[in-house]
Amino acid sequence: MYFFLFNLSFVDFSYSSVFTPKMLVNFISKKNVISYRGCMTQLFFYCFFIISECYVLTSMAYDRYVAIRNPLLYNIAMSPKVCSNLMLGSYLMALSGAMAHTGCMLRLTFCDANIINHYFCDALPLLQLSCTSTYANELVIFIVVGINIIVPSLTIFISYGFILYSTLQISSTKGRSKAFSTCSSHIIAVSLFFGSCAFMYLKPSSAGSMNENKVSSVFYTNVVPMVNPLIYSLRNKDVKVALRKILSRKMF
């Protein structure tokens, strides 16, 4: 579990760092300027880390399923090799998605109007600046984003279906409560992340919806990475005990 939490924290920190420093600089500078190469680089790494998070959360759902379904065989089923392969697969899927998005964006010709209606170089705002047809790009966005949301979502739903079935077979109320408590943090994180991503990308792009997209982007690019450590740490008994000790020292 902690191996996956480490990767989740790494991905959250990384994709927030792709654009947050530049955004903070823009707050205090008179001109908010980014070069073409810088914009494409930002787009690539943003896509890479955001897709990585989809599959890291999926791997965590499978990890929870194995922990509840076969607790005695957990160390065998989730060996270091299996965990490493899951993360390698996650990053390879992210790399292919990021290359598809960035490659399609590089083929476009942009007009003189070079003002990006967003706070970072996301795919949909950049398409609005193109002089050439963006049909292929929108199709790639819909397919790649659809795969990277629907496939992980289905895997997570199936995993939790088996988890629910296994949990209901536990005879003791305490055991069922512990099993549900184990999964609650992950369910909250998945709902926040996939919900905001689906709202952002799985709909036709239009200038009228760009303000809504900005709000959704702020939510999953800033709020979700900030909330994830709180969600997971405050559900951990050791962290709760340490927090109580710190608060009691400050109070007395």
Side-chain angles (χ1 to χ4, degrees), residues 1-208:
M1 181 182 70
Y2 289 106
F3 173 75
F4 291 120
L5 285 176
F6 166 78
N7 279 275
L8 181 66
S9 301
F10 168 73
V11 170
D12 281 340
F13 175 79
S14 297
Y15 81 73
S16 297
S17 301
V18 168
F19 54 84
T20 302
K22 178 64 178 173
M23 182 177 67
L24 294 176
V25 170
N26 290 341
F27 286 156
I28 59 175
S29 62
K30 293 182 179 180
K31 289 186 178 181
N32 302 333
V33 179
I34 186 169
S35 66
Y36 177 78
R37 289 184 179 179
C39 188
M40 293 299 109
T41 303
Q42 191 180 70
L43 175 66
F44 175 82
F45 283 105
Y46 166 73
C47 292
F48 175 79
F49 287 116
I50 210 77
I51 296 172
S52 296
E53 175 134 351
C54 294
Y55 291 98
V56 171
L57 290 171
T58 306
S59 301
M60 292 175 72
Y62 177 71
D63 173 70
R64 293 297 83 209
Y65 161 69
V66 175
I68 294 173
R69 179 74 173 176
N70 295 307
L72 298 178
L73 299 175
Y74 176 78
N75 289 332
I76 298 173
M78 297 301 294
S79 64
K81 183 178 180 181
V82 172
C83 295
S84 299
N85 286 337
L86 286 171
M87 288 300 96
L88 178 62
S90 300
Y91 293 130
L92 287 176
M93 288 295 293
L95 180 63
S96 62
M99 289 178 67
H101 282 303
T102 311
C104 287
M105 197 63 65
L106 289 170
R107 58 176 283 276
L108 296 179
T109 302
F110 294 97
C111 304
D112 293 334
N114 57 357
I115 299 175
I116 302 171
N117 187 19
H118 216 294
Y119 62 92
F120 70 100
C121 291
D122 199 3
L124 297 179
L126 290 175
L127 293 183
Q128 295 182 350
L129 304 180
S130 175
C131 296
T132 52
S133 174
T134 60
Y135 175 77
N137 293 70
E138 292 187 15
L139 187 62
V140 167
I141 289 173
F142 190 80
I143 292 172
V144 173
V145 174
I147 291 172
N148 292 321
I149 288 181
I150 293 171
V151 172
S153 297
L154 283 176
T155 307
I156 290 169
F157 280 129
I158 292 169
S159 298
Y160 274 105
F162 285 119
I163 288 172
L164 181 62
Y165 176 76
S166 301
T167 304
L168 293 176
Q169 289 185 324
I170 299 174
S171 56
S172 66
T173 306
K174 186 177 181 181
R176 285 197 297 268
S177 177
K178 186 177 181 180
F180 283 124
S181 177
T182 304
C183 302
S184 59
S185 301
H186 184 256
I187 293 172
I188 295 169
V190 167
S191 301
L192 290 174
F193 180 76
F194 280 97
S196 55
C197 283
F199 176 81
M200 174 76 181
Y201 292 105
L202 295 183
K203 62 178 183 178
S205 61
S206 64

